[in-house]
Amino acid sequence: MPNHPVPVPSSVLAALKNKTIHLSAAKMIHSLFLVNASGDIFLEKHWKSVVSRSVCDYFFEALERATEPENVPPVIPTPHHYLINVLRHRIYFVAVIQSEVPPLFVIEFLHRVVDTFQDYFGVCTEAAIKDNVVVVYELLEEMLDNGFPLATESNILKELIKPPTILRTVVNTITGSTNVGEQLPTGQLSVVPWRRTGVKYTNNEAYFDVIEEIDAIIDKSGSTITAEIQGVIDACVKLTGMPDLTLSFMNPRLLDDVSFHPCVRFKRWEAERILSFIPPDGNFRLLSYHVSSQNLVAIPVYVKHNISFREGSSQGRFELTLGPKQTMGKAVESVLVSSQLPRGVLNANLNPSQGTYTFDPVTKLLSWDVGKINPQKLPSLKGSMSLQAGASKPDENPTINIQFKIQQLAISGLKVNRLDMYGEKYKPFKGIKYMTKAGKFQVRT
Amino acid sequence: MRAPPALSASAPRNGSRDSVSGALRRSASSSSTAAAAAEMSASSAFIDEKGGSASEPEYGHDPASGGIFSTDYKRHDDLKEMLDSNKDSLKLEAMKRIVAMIARGKNASDLFPAVVKNVACKNIEVKKLVYVYLVRYAEEQQDLALLSISTFQRGLKDPNQLIRASALRVLSSIRVTIIVPIMMLAIKEAASDMSPYVRKTAAHAIPKLHSLDPEQKDQLIEVIEKLLADKTTLVAGSVVMAFEEVCPDRIDLIHKNYRKLCNLLIDVEEWGQVVIINMLTRYARTQFLNPNINESLLEESSEKAFYASDDEEDEDKKAEAATLAKRKPYVMDPDHRLLLRNTKPLLQSRNAAVVMAVAQLYFHLAPKAEVGIIAKALVRLMRSHSEVQYVVLQNVATMTIKRRGMFEPYLKSFYIRSTDPTQIKILKLEVLTNLANETNISTILREFQTYIKSMDKDFVAASIQAIGRCATNIGEVRDTCLNGLVQLLSNRDELVVAESVVVIKKLLQMQPEQHSDIIKHMAKLIDNIQVPMARASILWLIGEYCEHVPKIAPDVLRNMAKTFTNEEDIVKLQIINLAAKLYLTNSKQTKLLTQYVLNLAKYDQNYDIRDRARFIRQLIVPTDKSGALSKYAKKLFLALKPAPVLQSTFKDRDHFQLGSLSHLLNAKAAGYQELPDWPESVPDPSVRNVEVIRLLERVTTLTSIPDWSKCTSRKDRKEKKTEKPFYSDSEGESGPTESADSESDSGSGSESASASDESGSGSESEESREETESEDEEEDEEKEKKRKKRLDKTKAKKPAEESAESEQSSGTEDRKRGRKAVKNQKSASESESESESSESEDESEEESEEESESDTDIRKKKTPISKQPPKQSKKESKKERQEMSLLDLDDFEPAPASAPVTPVNFLSSSLVSDLEGLSLTNNILAPTTIAPSGSIKMYELLHRITGEGLAVEYCFSRQPFSPDPNMVAVQIQFTNNTNSETKNLHIEEPRLQSGMRIREFTEIDVLAAGESVTVVMGIDFCDSTQAANFQLCTHTRKFFVSIQPPVGELMTPVFLTENDFKKEQGKLMGMNEISEKLMLGEKCVNEHVIVERVTATANLSRVPCGSEKECRFAGKTVSSGCLVLVTVPTKEGGAAQLTVNCEKMLIGTLLVKDIMQALSQ
């Protein structure tokens, strides 16, 4: 802020003479800069007085120091400000703050901003933000007042500022209207702050996706070092009026640690292990959970690997075979294997039994798009790697990261028992889908 | 575009950049301000240059792109024309373009006059964008901005709350000093606006005005005080924010609102929650006692005792006082408990900031035993975005130093993946190192071994250091670690080797004599290692331990002397050191070498090295001029040096409030509020009591403003709906130590469980009822109040025995009638809840009946409360509650634990019996009661003869024990049959089986002659029937006593549906199922008797069942929460079968035996 000892021209002094400059601590988020992957500031928004974009130089310095984009420290102190940044979709969201504030408060808010953009524009890319710069500005204006969050619920925001759709863009250009809502969102005053009122659908439907991710570290010999299941229930609820839903599980005791959307009545859960809630309109994450660690985690795939370098030779051997393990009879699909090979590897000459593989000689990243695993004919990737001539054999062992999907299976065995609706007369269409995915699934070699 | 080109070219790469850019910015803005008065075109040219448009990449497809305009100034005229036109669409288009310019950081200030005219535009969309513009540029163009003020003033009076709010928002965002009085007025007015949304905006405006003109502080504090009293959740977060910014030290403003804030908390929006929790953490630190005070006293007193040996009298006294204080158990302020209890559910929030806020609150405020619950939630956050992980890990690292045990079970969650960003890896490593202890070190070391092979070299270096720290902290593995590190010395990567050398050096310092071969090995390495720090470390080692390597040391020095001139400075310094040390120990071989090295150093470029050489030469080479010091040269150089302590950088970071920016940076950030130390003595807790009169006023004002009271009442109704199950939960926690209020709470709570089972239609009728009630009820107010008071007193006073007797005595029918008569007079909330249950009575639905049955069971078993609040305050709180219930302001419920706790017996026994009849009305909610009459069996703990007049009896109250849900509540009744007072009744020296724990009752200071008093203690029996032994002490005597629980008391009821029951039973087959055939006793004629007998034997609840011929019960063990399921199907002729399913076979067996006995009698 303008508190540097800088000579000020007399004309300015005249203009400022009836204005006192206070250095009183201004709280929370002061300004926001959006920086793209190539290091350009492409949007700035100030909620209090203007902070020069040169403050971002400290951020750029940190960016240069960091070897990887994600290694920029989330909090960067500068002489007069603190910069708190998050990296999403290859855009850095850099918030400028001036005084003590819980860092997670700012980080969480920035992520919420990104989520909102994604919700509005489908994607959160530089192009999308630039295309919708006015909407973005309106959103930011509504989300923060004087640096303190005002409205962050997407249901409320959507009433204040209509999301752009192709149709509305056309209408807007013809009628010359914008996306700003005419009315104060009723939600601000309604009993249910996260749900807008007056929702109407001709087809009333409620879909719930139970998605579980397996995080695991498998060691060299194939034994599990750590494995846990994290799950979420994402909902897409399009129901008329003010429905009050309850969702119960066959085996709620599986859930060890849960976090809820604010709509879930916590006490009901504590007492009866039933999710009772008035849902927001549209898409939202109802619940995230962690499956208790006492339960053994079924590992759906195994990897046989032989990655070796011989001393003195400029060749290395690479062999990888995947197979299904505990899949409850379901097919393992969308399998993608990736591995960061040692720096010494110049190139890889491999032969996949199915799917395609790529090796980037610059980043040394090997990735193999396997597709579906056929238990009769296990997919394999074999071949040789060429090393730098004369270089000694690399010490490091590459780890293998695996992604996969299993449809119609919640690997923890979690099952939704029933979904009931109260408060409305009609009969909604209900759907539950299960899916298991690999989370951070790593095999050490 | 990284920075304006002028900047990036001219700004130096260090330090002064900020001021340079500041200067640029200043001059830019100055010229723009001046430009407003002078010619515009010239300045805009300058400004655009400053905006850096020339270097800005253009994006052609963007229709709103300002790229075209910035290069062509005439286009600004276009914009002006558009803004001046009559068409809203043109204005809108222009404003959109202008906003796009602002968004990209371009200066649009020259358009100010054209834009400001449109502030009065009817089109709300144009208006909004104009607001955006105004907020951005008003500061620079103050005179012109003033033109718009009148529009906002008009807006503040608008009937639409949206317009009022946004007018206030923009008005307060215009940072122009001249309008301060207008802003002040607007804020004051908005603070009493009907719309909570506008009041929220007013709260937001307060800090804005304060930063504009701090002289307004006093007036603003008044507004804050007013808004703090606001009851809507919408306002709460924002006003606390304003409080934190304007007057964070005015803690006195919080007192009256403390309980309300605690109770509202769960319904406040997420961001407000964070702010409120942080504020309340500070508040609690100033108002409550340290819950871990006993622990710290223990340390202190032992220290004192040590000093007492100096036979100083007053020291002795102090020690005595300390031990006295130690013996007096700490009682948590109910308000403190309220805060902990109401924040706990927020650990389940989806918002990481909220979770972190609660975690830090627990870390700073909770008793040691309860802090553990935050670990799971924090570990969950580790799944979140990497920035969140980063912050959480920093805090976890600090916590693990203070309370390692908390995170030990989650060790594996901190294992490192190759895909983690380096900064996350290093923090995880820190946590793993902090968590390492004797038991888990082998797994951790195995994990570290894989880390050393990582490709991320920074991470490898950190891993090696971590191994070093483990080795210093855990003696058992020191040799293993050292060997591992020595093997690393042959690693191909030089950085790895260097890091290992440095760590080995530190480890060797601990026990050098055993490791001369390692030193030799390292001496050989010096030719190959190039990293200066590692070379320096090796040289230091050789010099320090040259006696262990007498042959190699001179040779190393010889080699180093050769390369001296090419070495780095730190290496040179160590060469000089080595030379000096060798000269002192082995001058024969090294004298010349040393002189050579010193000569080289004498002419070194670095003055540090020259100084060092000069200094050392004087010290070690004896000359006639050298002073007395040279005699001690050997002592100076070869003194035993203490080994370095490798400790975490996170040590003692917890003096910063966790979760704060200052904690993260380990430096005080601007505006950081220190976390105060706990007070020495309790500040007056009554400051938080809310006066009744004020509340009454509030209630009337509420009702006099029709539309907002309506809105709040609707809000509250909703809140209540969510609240209800909470109380049924809080019943589980609300303990015997809590006062009468908690009973009424839990009462309504358990009903709500049944209420919530009814579908939406039920809640609708509830709503309509409430509305009528709030009108009707006022007249009956006085009567009710009195009744209620008496009711509560009896409920509270009546000792257990009496209640049991009276239950048996009077007929059910009579009671039912009596109850119906009084029903209408009950307070709103109570009658509501009662009619709820009466509804469920009427409905012959079996399920609801069952539920209400179990409810009454619970209520019946409600036991007398030992501690009575003084009459006065109790009346107050009762009254207050009354007022509240009129309007259904459930959130205003005085904390269940709010009444002061002082054990006073003020009701004579005759009054108790007088009130007996009344209290019974409470117990007859369900006429079909089949609760075990007299189920509360008293056991003798101390006979009055052995106890020398003190008789002690105990019973299992079957209440959840609030301080620790895993404990069985044991209610103890002391009766003093002597003629004198008994003092200081308390427990000492519990002797328990491993795993068992005792939570003692609060010490009873005085028990007058002939009086009796009841207290509750908690015992964790670990699900075994082993006796808990302890000493019961009075001021004169100690008695050895023991409490052995019947197996049936080791469980608490669980409510299951029929389906759940079957499902759970299906899981507990085989070994876990015990089945016995039996003949029912003569009196077991019907179902009711069976239920009665079983529930009397074991603390189980009944599970609904389709057939009459079968009774089912469910419960879970108190300690470990294993399910206990009991089924009793009856057959013709008194035959029956008893099946118990329980994971704990021992419990199952014992339970079968007990129930068999009960049923066959």
Side-chain angles (χ1 to χ4, degrees), chain A residues 8 12 22 27 40 44 52-53 87 100 141-142 176 178 189 213 215 258 267 340 399 440 444, chain B residues 1 25-26 30 92 103-104 125 161 169 212 245 348 383 417-418 447 455 661-662 670 726:
Chain A
V8 182
V12 180
H22 297 294
K27 287 250 171 164
D40 298 326
E44 63 181 72
S52 160
R53 39 169 80 190
L87 173 65
E100 176 61 48
E141 188 75 35
E142 282 306 327
T178 55
L189 295 175
E213 293 194 353
D215 286 357
V258 283
K267 294 122 197 182
Q340 179 78 48
T399 50
K440 295 170 180 166
R444 292 177 177 163
Chain B
M1 190 204 61
R25 179 161 27 87
R26 266 303 179 84
S30 75
L92 192 60
R104 285 184 295 113
E125 298 168 15
Q161 50 180 347
R169 240 183 103 182
L212 187 63
E245 212 157 300
Q348 251 67 50
R383 281 276 300 176
R417 292 159 204 280
S418 59
E447 191 63 19
M455 293 178 210
L661 183 64
S662 305
F726 175 69

Side-chain angles (χ1 to χ4, degrees), chain B residues 421-528:
Chain B
T422 311
Q423 51 186 356
I424 299 289
K425 283 181 187 161
I426 287 173
L427 283 170
K428 279 186 175 175
L429 205 55
E430 174 74 34
V431 172
L432 285 175
T433 317
N434 290 344
L435 288 179
N437 60 18
E438 285 83 356
T439 48
N440 59 21
I441 184 67
S442 56
T443 25
I444 290 185
L445 279 182
R446 207 172 312 132
E447 191 63 19
F448 282 176
Q449 265 168 9
T450 38
Y451 299 163
I452 288 166
K453 290 177 192 152
S454 164
M455 293 178 210
D456 185 342
K457 290 306 166 208
D458 293 337
F459 170 53
V460 172
S463 302
I464 293 169
Q465 278 174 13
I467 293 174
R469 255 178 63 201
C470 287
T472 35
N473 296 341
I474 302 162
E476 286 89 332
V477 293
R478 195 167 296 151
D479 289 343
T480 328
C481 290
L482 203 49
N483 286 337
L485 290 172
V486 170
Q487 273 168 30
L488 281 181
L489 291 177
S490 49
N491 193 294
R492 245 182 236 97
D493 193 292
E494 195 182 322
L495 279 170
V496 174
V497 179
E499 202 65 46
S500 313
V501 167
V502 176
V503 173
I504 289 174
K505 181 204 113 186
K506 288 176 184 163
L507 288 181
L508 284 185
Q509 250 181 294
M510 296 181 154
Q511 36 193 182
E513 54 292 329
Q514 299 166 22
H515 299 292
S516 52
D517 46 336
I518 295 179
I519 299 174
K520 274 179 207 153
H521 181 71
M522 288 171 79
K524 282 177 204 152
L525 278 175
I526 198 144
D527 296 333
N528 303 323

Side-chain angles (χ1 to χ4, degrees), chain B residues 65-77:
Chain B
S65 163
I68 338 157
F69 309 114
S70 52
T71 43
D72 186 356
Y73 308 124
K74 278 177 192 161
R75 285 304 180 91
H76 277 297
D77 294 338

Side-chain angles (χ1 to χ4, degrees), chain B residues 832-858:
Chain B
E832 175 218 325
S833 54
E834 273 189 6
S835 52
E836 202 76 70
S837 58
S838 73
E839 267 174 27
S840 58
E841 274 167 44
D842 298 341
E843 290 163 14
S844 53
E845 248 184 289
E846 209 169 331
E847 206 168 300
S848 64
E849 205 172 319
E850 293 298 342
E851 294 256 3
S852 53
E853 265 170 34
S854 46
D855 290 350
T856 32
D857 279 6
I858 289 168

Side-chain angles (χ1 to χ4, degrees), chain A residues 153-181:
Chain A
E153 280 295 336
S154 109
N155 262 237
I156 307 300
L157 284 170
K158 281 192 176 154
E159 264 183 60
L160 284 167
I161 302 150
K162 295 274 178 288
T165 60
I166 294 171
L167 182 67
R168 195 168 300 117
T169 320
V170 175
V171 172
N172 284 352
T173 34
I174 295 167
T175 61
S177 61
T178 55
N179 299 310
V180 183

Side-chain angles (χ1 to χ4, degrees), chain B residues 326-340:
Chain B
K326 188 188 100 197
R327 206 188 302 151
K328 200 170 178 181
Y330 159 82
V331 187
M332 185 181 277
D333 189 311
D335 284 331
H336 190 174
R337 172 55 64 199
L338 175 75
L339 176 61
L340 291 175

